[in-house]
Amino acid sequence: MSDSPNPPNPADDDCDAYVGLGTAEAEERARQHGWTTVRTLPPDAIITMEYVVGRINFAVKDGEVVRCWKG
């Protein structure tokens, strides 16, 4: 398999497109769009706010993404 001449750029990805997806579907989509780190958290989880390039975050409730943000 050869490298794609135009690899996906995660920075161009729309976070709103993930809201409403199931966890597995959202993680798969994120990988296809070039995200190197996918973090899944419960809603209202206490987390550090450091920005990590290449990371997408999902707040998941009952197996469904309810919020998504980059970094």
Side-chain angles (χ1 to χ4, degrees), residues 25-52:
E25 183 180 1
E27 289 179 5
E28 181 179 338
R29 182 185 192 282
R31 301 274 183 218
Q32 290 172 351
H33 283 86
W35 294 101
T36 56
T37 304
V38 178
R39 181 166 67 169
T40 303
L41 306 157
D44 302 320
I46 297 172
I47 58 171
T48 60
M49 294 304 294
E50 79 280 10
Y51 186 87
V52 177

mmCIF file with all atom_site columns, all heavy atoms in Angstrom, residues 25-52:
data_model
loop_
_atom_site.group_PDB
_atom_site.id
_atom_site.type_symbol
_atom_site.label_atom_id
_atom_site.label_alt_id
_atom_site.label_comp_id
_atom_site.label_asym_id
_atom_site.label_entity_id
_atom_site.label_seq_id
_atom_site.pdbx_PDB_ins_code
_atom_site.Cartn_x
_atom_site.Cartn_y
_atom_site.Cartn_z
_atom_site.occupancy
_atom_site.B_iso_or_equiv
_atom_site.pdbx_formal_charge
_atom_site.auth_seq_id
_atom_site.auth_comp_id
_atom_site.auth_asym_id
_atom_site.auth_atom_id
_atom_site.pdbx_PDB_model_num
ATOM 1   N N   . GLU A 1 25 ? -17.615 4.188  16.018 1.00 0.00 ? 25 GLU A N   1
ATOM 2   C CA  . GLU A 1 25 ? -17.713 4.866  14.721 1.00 0.00 ? 25 GLU A CA  1
ATOM 3   C C   . GLU A 1 25 ? -16.935 6.189  14.741 1.00 0.00 ? 25 GLU A C   1
ATOM 4   O O   . GLU A 1 25 ? -16.233 6.521  13.788 1.00 0.00 ? 25 GLU A O   1
ATOM 5   C CB  . GLU A 1 25 ? -19.174 5.118  14.373 1.00 0.00 ? 25 GLU A CB  1
ATOM 6   C CG  . GLU A 1 25 ? -19.379 5.752  13.020 1.00 0.00 ? 25 GLU A CG  1
ATOM 7   C CD  . GLU A 1 25 ? -20.846 6.007  12.692 1.00 0.00 ? 25 GLU A CD  1
ATOM 8   O OE1 . GLU A 1 25 ? -21.728 5.723  13.511 1.00 0.00 ? 25 GLU A OE1 1
ATOM 9   O OE2 . GLU A 1 25 ? -21.082 6.535  11.578 1.00 0.00 ? 25 GLU A OE2 1
ATOM 10  N N   . ALA A 1 26 ? -17.041 6.923  15.836 1.00 0.00 ? 26 ALA A N   1
ATOM 11  C CA  . ALA A 1 26 ? -16.335 8.206  15.956 1.00 0.00 ? 26 ALA A CA  1
ATOM 12  C C   . ALA A 1 26 ? -14.822 7.982  15.965 1.00 0.00 ? 26 ALA A C   1
ATOM 13  O O   . ALA A 1 26 ? -14.076 8.708  15.299 1.00 0.00 ? 26 ALA A O   1
ATOM 14  C CB  . ALA A 1 26 ? -16.776 8.930  17.219 1.00 0.00 ? 26 ALA A CB  1
ATOM 15  N N   . GLU A 1 27 ? -14.355 6.986  16.711 1.00 0.00 ? 27 GLU A N   1
ATOM 16  C CA  . GLU A 1 27 ? -12.923 6.695  16.761 1.00 0.00 ? 27 GLU A CA  1
ATOM 17  C C   . GLU A 1 27 ? -12.396 6.281  15.385 1.00 0.00 ? 27 GLU A C   1
ATOM 18  O O   . GLU A 1 27 ? -11.327 6.726  14.964 1.00 0.00 ? 27 GLU A O   1
ATOM 19  C CB  . GLU A 1 27 ? -12.637 5.619  17.795 1.00 0.00 ? 27 GLU A CB  1
ATOM 20  C CG  . GLU A 1 27 ? -12.803 6.110  19.214 1.00 0.00 ? 27 GLU A CG  1
ATOM 21  C CD  . GLU A 1 27 ? -12.537 5.046  20.266 1.00 0.00 ? 27 GLU A CD  1
ATOM 22  O OE1 . GLU A 1 27 ? -12.119 3.917  19.911 1.00 0.00 ? 27 GLU A OE1 1
ATOM 23  O OE2 . GLU A 1 27 ? -12.746 5.332  21.456 1.00 0.00 ? 27 GLU A OE2 1
ATOM 24  N N   . GLU A 1 28 ? -13.144 5.455  14.686 1.00 0.00 ? 28 GLU A N   1
ATOM 25  C CA  . GLU A 1 28 ? -12.734 5.027  13.342 1.00 0.00 ? 28 GLU A CA  1
ATOM 26  C C   . GLU A 1 28 ? -12.672 6.223  12.394 1.00 0.00 ? 28 GLU A C   1
ATOM 27  O O   . GLU A 1 28 ? -11.702 6.382  11.638 1.00 0.00 ? 28 GLU A O   1
ATOM 28  C CB  . GLU A 1 28 ? -13.706 3.978  12.803 1.00 0.00 ? 28 GLU A CB  1
ATOM 29  C CG  . GLU A 1 28 ? -13.321 3.470  11.429 1.00 0.00 ? 28 GLU A CG  1
ATOM 30  C CD  . GLU A 1 28 ? -14.280 2.408  10.909 1.00 0.00 ? 28 GLU A CD  1
ATOM 31  O OE1 . GLU A 1 28 ? -14.976 1.761  11.704 1.00 0.00 ? 28 GLU A OE1 1
ATOM 32  O OE2 . GLU A 1 28 ? -14.324 2.237  9.673  1.00 0.00 ? 28 GLU A OE2 1
ATOM 33  N N   . ARG A 1 29 ? -13.676 7.077  12.436 1.00 0.00 ? 29 ARG A N   1
ATOM 34  C CA  . ARG A 1 29 ? -13.696 8.263  11.576 1.00 0.00 ? 29 ARG A CA  1
ATOM 35  C C   . ARG A 1 29 ? -12.506 9.173  11.888 1.00 0.00 ? 29 ARG A C   1
ATOM 36  O O   . ARG A 1 29 ? -11.862 9.698  10.990 1.00 0.00 ? 29 ARG A O   1
ATOM 37  C CB  . ARG A 1 29 ? -15.000 9.038  11.772 1.00 0.00 ? 29 ARG A CB  1
ATOM 38  C CG  . ARG A 1 29 ? -15.134 10.256 10.875 1.00 0.00 ? 29 ARG A CG  1
ATOM 39  C CD  . ARG A 1 29 ? -16.408 11.051 11.225 1.00 0.00 ? 29 ARG A CD  1
ATOM 40  N NE  . ARG A 1 29 ? -16.728 12.053 10.241 1.00 0.00 ? 29 ARG A NE  1
ATOM 41  C CZ  . ARG A 1 29 ? -16.125 13.236 10.117 1.00 0.00 ? 29 ARG A CZ  1
ATOM 42  N NH1 . ARG A 1 29 ? -15.151 13.557 10.916 1.00 0.00 ? 29 ARG A NH1 1
ATOM 43  N NH2 . ARG A 1 29 ? -16.496 14.087 9.180  1.00 0.00 ? 29 ARG A NH2 1
ATOM 44  N N   . ALA A 1 30 ? -12.217 9.337  13.162 1.00 0.00 ? 30 ALA A N   1
ATOM 45  C CA  . ALA A 1 30 ? -11.101 10.189 13.567 1.00 0.00 ? 30 ALA A CA  1
ATOM 46  C C   . ALA A 1 30 ? -9.775  9.657  13.012 1.00 0.00 ? 30 ALA A C   1
ATOM 47  O O   . ALA A 1 30 ? -8.957  10.422 12.490 1.00 0.00 ? 30 ALA A O   1
ATOM 48  C CB  . ALA A 1 30 ? -11.042 10.287 15.087 1.00 0.00 ? 30 ALA A CB  1
ATOM 49  N N   . ARG A 1 31 ? -9.556  8.376  13.100 1.00 0.00 ? 31 ARG A N   1
ATOM 50  C CA  . ARG A 1 31 ? -8.324  7.775  12.563 1.00 0.00 ? 31 ARG A CA  1
ATOM 51  C C   . ARG A 1 31 ? -8.244  7.975  11.044 1.00 0.00 ? 31 ARG A C   1
ATOM 52  O O   . ARG A 1 31 ? -7.187  8.288  10.513 1.00 0.00 ? 31 ARG A O   1
ATOM 53  C CB  . ARG A 1 31 ? -8.244  6.295  12.902 1.00 0.00 ? 31 ARG A CB  1
ATOM 54  C CG  . ARG A 1 31 ? -8.266  5.993  14.373 1.00 0.00 ? 31 ARG A CG  1
ATOM 55  C CD  . ARG A 1 31 ? -6.912  6.064  14.992 1.00 0.00 ? 31 ARG A CD  1
ATOM 56  N NE  . ARG A 1 31 ? -7.007  5.701  16.397 1.00 0.00 ? 31 ARG A NE  1
ATOM 57  C CZ  . ARG A 1 31 ? -6.331  6.275  17.350 1.00 0.00 ? 31 ARG A CZ  1
ATOM 58  N NH1 . ARG A 1 31 ? -5.469  7.225  17.077 1.00 0.00 ? 31 ARG A NH1 1
ATOM 59  N NH2 . ARG A 1 31 ? -6.480  5.916  18.606 1.00 0.00 ? 31 ARG A NH2 1
ATOM 60  N N   . GLN A 1 32 ? -9.370  7.809  10.362 1.00 0.00 ? 32 GLN A N   1
ATOM 61  C CA  . GLN A 1 32 ? -9.399  7.995  8.910  1.00 0.00 ? 32 GLN A CA  1
ATOM 62  C C   . GLN A 1 32 ? -9.106  9.446  8.524  1.00 0.00 ? 32 GLN A C   1
ATOM 63  O O   . GLN A 1 32 ? -8.618  9.704  7.434  1.00 0.00 ? 32 GLN A O   1
ATOM 64  C CB  . GLN A 1 32 ? -10.754 7.578  8.339  1.00 0.00 ? 32 GLN A CB  1
ATOM 65  C CG  . GLN A 1 32 ? -11.004 6.099  8.392  1.00 0.00 ? 32 GLN A CG  1
ATOM 66  C CD  . GLN A 1 32 ? -12.425 5.740  7.987  1.00 0.00 ? 32 GLN A CD  1
ATOM 67  O OE1 . GLN A 1 32 ? -13.291 6.590  7.823  1.00 0.00 ? 32 GLN A OE1 1
ATOM 68  N NE2 . GLN A 1 32 ? -12.671 4.444  7.831  1.00 0.00 ? 32 GLN A NE2 1
ATOM 69  N N   . HIS A 1 33 ? -9.415  10.368 9.419  1.00 0.00 ? 33 HIS A N   1
ATOM 70  C CA  . HIS A 1 33 ? -9.186  11.788 9.148  1.00 0.00 ? 33 HIS A CA  1
ATOM 71  C C   . HIS A 1 33 ? -7.827  12.265 9.652  1.00 0.00 ? 33 HIS A C   1
ATOM 72  O O   . HIS A 1 33 ? -7.560  13.464 9.667  1.00 0.00 ? 33 HIS A O   1
ATOM 73  C CB  . HIS A 1 33 ? -10.321 12.631 9.730  1.00 0.00 ? 33 HIS A CB  1
ATOM 74  C CG  . HIS A 1 33 ? -11.556 12.579 8.892  1.00 0.00 ? 33 HIS A CG  1
ATOM 75  N ND1 . HIS A 1 33 ? -12.505 11.591 9.018  1.00 0.00 ? 33 HIS A ND1 1
ATOM 76  C CD2 . HIS A 1 33 ? -11.983 13.378 7.894  1.00 0.00 ? 33 HIS A CD2 1
ATOM 77  C CE1 . HIS A 1 33 ? -13.463 11.798 8.139  1.00 0.00 ? 33 HIS A CE1 1
ATOM 78  N NE2 . HIS A 1 33 ? -13.175 12.875 7.436  1.00 0.00 ? 33 HIS A NE2 1
ATOM 79  N N   . GLY A 1 34 ? -6.982  11.338 10.073 1.00 0.00 ? 34 GLY A N   1
ATOM 80  C CA  . GLY A 1 34 ? -5.602  11.681 10.397 1.00 0.00 ? 34 GLY A CA  1
ATOM 81  C C   . GLY A 1 34 ? -5.277  11.971 11.849 1.00 0.00 ? 34 GLY A C   1
ATOM 82  O O   . GLY A 1 34 ? -4.148  12.343 12.156 1.00 0.00 ? 34 GLY A O   1
ATOM 83  N N   . TRP A 1 35 ? -6.224  11.802 12.757 1.00 0.00 ? 35 TRP A N   1
ATOM 84  C CA  . TRP A 1 35 ? -5.937  12.040 14.169 1.00 0.00 ? 35 TRP A CA  1
ATOM 85  C C   . TRP A 1 35 ? -5.044  10.927 14.689 1.00 0.00 ? 35 TRP A C   1
ATOM 86  O O   . TRP A 1 35 ? -5.310  9.756  14.473 1.00 0.00 ? 35 TRP A O   1
ATOM 87  C CB  . TRP A 1 35 ? -7.230  12.101 14.973 1.00 0.00 ? 35 TRP A CB  1
ATOM 88  C CG  . TRP A 1 35 ? -8.067  13.279 14.612 1.00 0.00 ? 35 TRP A CG  1
ATOM 89  C CD1 . TRP A 1 35 ? -9.166  13.280 13.794 1.00 0.00 ? 35 TRP A CD1 1
ATOM 90  C CD2 . TRP A 1 35 ? -7.845  14.630 14.991 1.00 0.00 ? 35 TRP A CD2 1
ATOM 91  N NE1 . TRP A 1 35 ? -9.650  14.555 13.655 1.00 0.00 ? 35 TRP A NE1 1
ATOM 92  C CE2 . TRP A 1 35 ? -8.850  15.408 14.387 1.00 0.00 ? 35 TRP A CE2 1
ATOM 93  C CE3 . TRP A 1 35 ? -6.903  15.277 15.783 1.00 0.00 ? 35 TRP A CE3 1
ATOM 94  C CZ2 . TRP A 1 35 ? -8.938  16.789 14.553 1.00 0.00 ? 35 TRP A CZ2 1
ATOM 95  C CZ3 . TRP A 1 35 ? -6.992  16.646 15.955 1.00 0.00 ? 35 TRP A CZ3 1
ATOM 96  C CH2 . TRP A 1 35 ? -8.002  17.379 15.351 1.00 0.00 ? 35 TRP A CH2 1
ATOM 97  N N   . THR A 1 36 ? -3.974  11.304 15.389 1.00 0.00 ? 36 THR A N   1
ATOM 98  C CA  . THR A 1 36 ? -3.046  10.307 15.928 1.00 0.00 ? 36 THR A CA  1
ATOM 99  C C   . THR A 1 36 ? -3.420  9.879  17.337 1.00 0.00 ? 36 THR A C   1
ATOM 100 O O   . THR A 1 36 ? -3.075  8.784  17.760 1.00 0.00 ? 36 THR A O   1
ATOM 101 C CB  . THR A 1 36 ? -1.604  10.853 15.935 1.00 0.00 ? 36 THR A CB  1
ATOM 102 O OG1 . THR A 1 36 ? -1.575  12.079 16.667 1.00 0.00 ? 36 THR A OG1 1
ATOM 103 C CG2 . THR A 1 36 ? -1.119  11.087 14.515 1.00 0.00 ? 36 THR A CG2 1
ATOM 104 N N   . THR A 1 37 ? -4.131  10.737 18.057 1.00 0.00 ? 37 THR A N   1
ATOM 105 C CA  . THR A 1 37 ? -4.570  10.406 19.413 1.00 0.00 ? 37 THR A CA  1
ATOM 106 C C   . THR A 1 37 ? -6.052  10.700 19.534 1.00 0.00 ? 37 THR A C   1
ATOM 107 O O   . THR A 1 37 ? -6.506  11.797 19.204 1.00 0.00 ? 37 THR A O   1
ATOM 108 C CB  . THR A 1 37 ? -3.803  11.239 20.465 1.00 0.00 ? 37 THR A CB  1
ATOM 109 O OG1 . THR A 1 37 ? -2.408  11.035 20.285 1.00 0.00 ? 37 THR A OG1 1
ATOM 110 C CG2 . THR A 1 37 ? -4.202  10.844 21.872 1.00 0.00 ? 37 THR A CG2 1
ATOM 111 N N   . VAL A 1 38 ? -6.793  9.709  20.006 1.00 0.00 ? 38 VAL A N   1
ATOM 112 C CA  . VAL A 1 38 ? -8.231  9.858  20.227 1.00 0.00 ? 38 VAL A CA  1
ATOM 113 C C   . VAL A 1 38 ? -8.478  9.621  21.716 1.00 0.00 ? 38 VAL A C   1
ATOM 114 O O   . VAL A 1 38 ? -8.153  8.566  22.243 1.00 0.00 ? 38 VAL A O   1
ATOM 115 C CB  . VAL A 1 38 ? -9.036  8.845  19.385 1.00 0.00 ? 38 VAL A CB  1
ATOM 116 C CG1 . VAL A 1 38 ? -10.526 8.973  19.674 1.00 0.00 ? 38 VAL A CG1 1
ATOM 117 C CG2 . VAL A 1 38 ? -8.752  9.020  17.904 1.00 0.00 ? 38 VAL A CG2 1
ATOM 118 N N   . ARG A 1 39 ? -9.016  10.638 22.388 1.00 0.00 ? 39 ARG A N   1
ATOM 119 C CA  . ARG A 1 39 ? -9.266  10.518 23.833 1.00 0.00 ? 39 ARG A CA  1
ATOM 120 C C   . ARG A 1 39 ? -10.770 10.533 24.072 1.00 0.00 ? 39 ARG A C   1
ATOM 121 O O   . ARG A 1 39 ? -11.476 11.440 23.633 1.00 0.00 ? 39 ARG A O   1
ATOM 122 C CB  . ARG A 1 39 ? -8.588  11.676 24.575 1.00 0.00 ? 39 ARG A CB  1
ATOM 123 C CG  . ARG A 1 39 ? -8.780  11.610 26.074 1.00 0.00 ? 39 ARG A CG  1
ATOM 124 C CD  . ARG A 1 39 ? -7.846  12.532 26.828 1.00 0.00 ? 39 ARG A CD  1
ATOM 125 N NE  . ARG A 1 39 ? -8.132  13.943 26.585 1.00 0.00 ? 39 ARG A NE  1
ATOM 126 C CZ  . ARG A 1 39 ? -7.598  14.928 27.291 1.00 0.00 ? 39 ARG A CZ  1
ATOM 127 N NH1 . ARG A 1 39 ? -6.730  14.668 28.264 1.00 0.00 ? 39 ARG A NH1 1
ATOM 128 N NH2 . ARG A 1 39 ? -7.894  16.182 27.023 1.00 0.00 ? 39 ARG A NH2 1
ATOM 129 N N   . THR A 1 40 ? -11.238 9.514  24.791 1.00 0.00 ? 40 THR A N   1
ATOM 130 C CA  . THR A 1 40 ? -12.650 9.380  25.122 1.00 0.00 ? 40 THR A CA  1
ATOM 131 C C   . THR A 1 40 ? -12.817 9.582  26.620 1.00 0.00 ? 40 THR A C   1
ATOM 132 O O   . THR A 1 40 ? -12.138 8.938  27.417 1.00 0.00 ? 40 THR A O   1
ATOM 133 C CB  . THR A 1 40 ? -13.164 7.985  24.719 1.00 0.00 ? 40 THR A CB  1
ATOM 134 O OG1 . THR A 1 40 ? -12.927 7.795  23.316 1.00 0.00 ? 40 THR A OG1 1
ATOM 135 C CG2 . THR A 1 40 ? -14.636 7.838  24.985 1.00 0.00 ? 40 THR A CG2 1
ATOM 136 N N   . LEU A 1 41 ? -13.732 10.470 26.968 1.00 0.00 ? 41 LEU A N   1
ATOM 137 C CA  . LEU A 1 41 ? -13.947 10.842 28.364 1.00 0.00 ? 41 LEU A CA  1
ATOM 138 C C   . LEU A 1 41 ? -15.435 10.861 28.685 1.00 0.00 ? 41 LEU A C   1
ATOM 139 O O   . LEU A 1 41 ? -16.256 11.089 27.796 1.00 0.00 ? 41 LEU A O   1
ATOM 140 C CB  . LEU A 1 41 ? -13.398 12.252 28.618 1.00 0.00 ? 41 LEU A CB  1
ATOM 141 C CG  . LEU A 1 41 ? -11.952 12.499 28.240 1.00 0.00 ? 41 LEU A CG  1
ATOM 142 C CD1 . LEU A 1 41 ? -11.714 13.974 28.007 1.00 0.00 ? 41 LEU A CD1 1
ATOM 143 C CD2 . LEU A 1 41 ? -11.066 11.982 29.343 1.00 0.00 ? 41 LEU A CD2 1
ATOM 144 N N   . PRO A 1 42 ? -15.776 10.675 29.963 1.00 0.00 ? 42 PRO A N   1
ATOM 145 C CA  . PRO A 1 42 ? -17.177 10.884 30.325 1.00 0.00 ? 42 PRO A CA  1
ATOM 146 C C   . PRO A 1 42 ? -17.481 12.383 30.337 1.00 0.00 ? 42 PRO A C   1
ATOM 147 O O   . PRO A 1 42 ? -16.558 13.195 30.514 1.00 0.00 ? 42 PRO A O   1
ATOM 148 C CB  . PRO A 1 42 ? -17.268 10.292 31.738 1.00 0.00 ? 42 PRO A CB  1
ATOM 149 C CG  . PRO A 1 42 ? -15.880 10.282 32.264 1.00 0.00 ? 42 PRO A CG  1
ATOM 150 C CD  . PRO A 1 42 ? -14.963 10.193 31.077 1.00 0.00 ? 42 PRO A CD  1
ATOM 151 N N   . PRO A 1 43 ? -18.744 12.760 30.154 1.00 0.00 ? 43 PRO A N   1
ATOM 152 C CA  . PRO A 1 43 ? -19.087 14.178 30.216 1.00 0.00 ? 43 PRO A CA  1
ATOM 153 C C   . PRO A 1 43 ? -18.683 14.762 31.578 1.00 0.00 ? 43 PRO A C   1
ATOM 154 O O   . PRO A 1 43 ? -18.742 14.079 32.593 1.00 0.00 ? 43 PRO A O   1
ATOM 155 C CB  . PRO A 1 43 ? -20.609 14.196 30.057 1.00 0.00 ? 43 PRO A CB  1
ATOM 156 C CG  . PRO A 1 43 ? -20.930 12.906 29.396 1.00 0.00 ? 43 PRO A CG  1
ATOM 157 C CD  . PRO A 1 43 ? -19.900 11.930 29.876 1.00 0.00 ? 43 PRO A CD  1
ATOM 158 N N   . ASP A 1 44 ? -18.234 15.986 31.581 1.00 0.00 ? 44 ASP A N   1
ATOM 159 C CA  . ASP A 1 44 ? -17.869 16.701 32.801 1.00 0.00 ? 44 ASP A CA  1
ATOM 160 C C   . ASP A 1 44 ? -16.670 16.095 33.531 1.00 0.00 ? 44 ASP A C   1
ATOM 161 O O   . ASP A 1 44 ? -16.494 16.338 34.725 1.00 0.00 ? 44 ASP A O   1
ATOM 162 C CB  . ASP A 1 44 ? -19.067 16.819 33.758 1.00 0.00 ? 44 ASP A CB  1
ATOM 163 C CG  . ASP A 1 44 ? -20.244 17.522 33.110 1.00 0.00 ? 44 ASP A CG  1
ATOM 164 O OD1 . ASP A 1 44 ? -20.001 18.511 32.378 1.00 0.00 ? 44 ASP A OD1 1
ATOM 165 O OD2 . ASP A 1 44 ? -21.389 17.088 33.302 1.00 0.00 ? 44 ASP A OD2 1
ATOM 166 N N   . ALA A 1 45 ? -15.861 15.310 32.827 1.00 0.00 ? 45 ALA A N   1
ATOM 167 C CA  . ALA A 1 45 ? -14.651 14.764 33.437 1.00 0.00 ? 45 ALA A CA  1
ATOM 168 C C   . ALA A 1 45 ? -13.689 15.906 33.758 1.00 0.00 ? 45 ALA A C   1
ATOM 169 O O   . ALA A 1 45 ? -13.617 16.893 33.032 1.00 0.00 ? 45 ALA A O   1
ATOM 170 C CB  . ALA A 1 45 ? -13.979 13.774 32.493 1.00 0.00 ? 45 ALA A CB  1
ATOM 171 N N   . ILE A 1 46 ? -12.962 15.767 34.843 1.00 0.00 ? 46 ILE A N   1
ATOM 172 C CA  . ILE A 1 46 ? -11.962 16.761 35.207 1.00 0.00 ? 46 ILE A CA  1
ATOM 173 C C   . ILE A 1 46 ? -10.666 16.367 34.503 1.00 0.00 ? 46 ILE A C   1
ATOM 174 O O   . ILE A 1 46 ? -10.154 15.265 34.710 1.00 0.00 ? 46 ILE A O   1
ATOM 175 C CB  . ILE A 1 46 ? -11.768 16.827 36.726 1.00 0.00 ? 46 ILE A CB  1
ATOM 176 C CG1 . ILE A 1 46 ? -13.072 17.269 37.381 1.00 0.00 ? 46 ILE A CG1 1
ATOM 177 C CG2 . ILE A 1 46 ? -10.617 17.756 37.081 1.00 0.00 ? 46 ILE A CG2 1
ATOM 178 C CD1 . ILE A 1 46 ? -13.067 17.199 38.884 1.00 0.00 ? 46 ILE A CD1 1
ATOM 179 N N   . ILE A 1 47 ? -10.182 17.264 33.636 1.00 0.00 ? 47 ILE A N   1
ATOM 180 C CA  . ILE A 1 47 ? -8.986  16.966 32.840 1.00 0.00 ? 47 ILE A CA  1
ATOM 181 C C   . ILE A 1 47 ? -8.075  18.182 32.815 1.00 0.00 ? 47 ILE A C   1
ATOM 182 O O   . ILE A 1 47 ? -8.520  19.300 33.076 1.00 0.00 ? 47 ILE A O   1
ATOM 183 C CB  . ILE A 1 47 ? -9.351  16.569 31.387 1.00 0.00 ? 47 ILE A CB  1
ATOM 184 C CG1 . ILE A 1 47 ? -10.141 17.693 30.700 1.00 0.00 ? 47 ILE A CG1 1
ATOM 185 C CG2 . ILE A 1 47 ? -10.126 15.264 31.357 1.00 0.00 ? 47 ILE A CG2 1
ATOM 186 C CD1 . ILE A 1 47 ? -10.366 17.500 29.234 1.00 0.00 ? 47 ILE A CD1 1
ATOM 187 N N   . THR A 1 48 ? -6.824  17.942 32.473 1.00 0.00 ? 48 THR A N   1
ATOM 188 C CA  . THR A 1 48 ? -5.927  19.062 32.238 1.00 0.00 ? 48 THR A CA  1
ATOM 189 C C   . THR A 1 48 ? -6.251  19.635 30.867 1.00 0.00 ? 48 THR A C   1
ATOM 190 O O   . THR A 1 48 ? -6.770  18.942 30.003 1.00 0.00 ? 48 THR A O   1
ATOM 191 C CB  . THR A 1 48 ? -4.453  18.614 32.284 1.00 0.00 ? 48 THR A CB  1
ATOM 192 O OG1 . THR A 1 48 ? -4.245  17.620 31.276 1.00 0.00 ? 48 THR A OG1 1
ATOM 193 C CG2 . THR A 1 48 ? -4.094  18.062 33.650 1.00 0.00 ? 48 THR A CG2 1
ATOM 194 N N   . MET A 1 49 ? -5.942  20.892 30.664 1.00 0.00 ? 49 MET A N   1
ATOM 195 C CA  . MET A 1 49 ? -6.329  21.562 29.431 1.00 0.00 ? 49 MET A CA  1
ATOM 196 C C   . MET A 1 49 ? -5.150  21.810 28.481 1.00 0.00 ? 49 MET A C   1
ATOM 197 O O   . MET A 1 49 ? -5.202  22.707 27.654 1.00 0.00 ? 49 MET A O   1
ATOM 198 C CB  . MET A 1 49 ? -7.032  22.882 29.749 1.00 0.00 ? 49 MET A CB  1
ATOM 199 C CG  . MET A 1 49 ? -8.370  22.702 30.467 1.00 0.00 ? 49 MET A CG  1
ATOM 200 S SD  . MET A 1 49 ? -9.544  21.647 29.587 1.00 0.00 ? 49 MET A SD  1
ATOM 201 C CE  . MET A 1 49 ? -9.868  22.628 28.154 1.00 0.00 ? 49 MET A CE  1
ATOM 202 N N   . GLU A 1 50 ? -4.069  21.039 28.629 1.00 0.00 ? 50 GLU A N   1
ATOM 203 C CA  . GLU A 1 50 ? -2.951  21.236 27.710 1.00 0.00 ? 50 GLU A CA  1
ATOM 204 C C   . GLU A 1 50 ? -3.383  20.870 26.290 1.00 0.00 ? 50 GLU A C   1
ATOM 205 O O   . GLU A 1 50 ? -4.155  19.934 26.100 1.00 0.00 ? 50 GLU A O   1
ATOM 206 C CB  . GLU A 1 50 ? -1.717  20.427 28.135 1.00 0.00 ? 50 GLU A CB  1
ATOM 207 C CG  . GLU A 1 50 ? -1.757  18.954 27.791 1.00 0.00 ? 50 GLU A CG  1
ATOM 208 C CD  . GLU A 1 50 ? -2.568  18.076 28.731 1.00 0.00 ? 50 GLU A CD  1
ATOM 209 O OE1 . GLU A 1 50 ? -3.284  18.585 29.592 1.00 0.00 ? 50 GLU A OE1 1
ATOM 210 O OE2 . GLU A 1 50 ? -2.498  16.853 28.580 1.00 0.00 ? 50 GLU A OE2 1
ATOM 211 N N   . TYR A 1 51 ? -2.901  21.619 25.350 1.00 0.00 ? 51 TYR A N   1
ATOM 212 C CA  . TYR A 1 51 ? -3.231  21.387 23.946 1.00 0.00 ? 51 TYR A CA  1
ATOM 213 C C   . TYR A 1 51 ? -2.209  20.410 23.371 1.00 0.00 ? 51 TYR A C   1
ATOM 214 O O   . TYR A 1 51 ? -1.015  20.621 23.490 1.00 0.00 ? 51 TYR A O   1
ATOM 215 C CB  . TYR A 1 51 ? -3.202  22.693 23.153 1.00 0.00 ? 51 TYR A CB  1
ATOM 216 C CG  . TYR A 1 51 ? -3.683  22.516 21.737 1.00 0.00 ? 51 TYR A CG  1
ATOM 217 C CD1 . TYR A 1 51 ? -5.031  22.607 21.442 1.00 0.00 ? 51 TYR A CD1 1
ATOM 218 C CD2 . TYR A 1 51 ? -2.788  22.231 20.712 1.00 0.00 ? 51 TYR A CD2 1
ATOM 219 C CE1 . TYR A 1 51 ? -5.487  22.440 20.144 1.00 0.00 ? 51 TYR A CE1 1
ATOM 220 C CE2 . TYR A 1 51 ? -3.241  22.055 19.414 1.00 0.00 ? 51 TYR A CE2 1
ATOM 221 C CZ  . TYR A 1 51 ? -4.584  22.159 19.132 1.00 0.00 ? 51 TYR A CZ  1
ATOM 222 O OH  . TYR A 1 51 ? -5.029  21.977 17.857 1.00 0.00 ? 51 TYR A OH  1
ATOM 223 N N   . VAL A 1 52 ? -2.691  19.345 22.771 1.00 0.00 ? 52 VAL A N   1
ATOM 224 C CA  . VAL A 1 52 ? -1.820  18.345 22.150 1.00 0.00 ? 52 VAL A CA  1
ATOM 225 C C   . VAL A 1 52 ? -2.162  18.287 20.663 1.00 0.00 ? 52 VAL A C   1
ATOM 226 O O   . VAL A 1 52 ? -3.295  17.937 20.289 1.00 0.00 ? 52 VAL A O   1
ATOM 227 C CB  . VAL A 1 52 ? -2.000  16.959 22.804 1.00 0.00 ? 52 VAL A CB  1
ATOM 228 C CG1 . VAL A 1 52 ? -1.155  15.914 22.094 1.00 0.00 ? 52 VAL A CG1 1
ATOM 229 C CG2 . VAL A 1 52 ? -1.659  17.015 24.285 1.00 0.00 ? 52 VAL A CG2 1
#
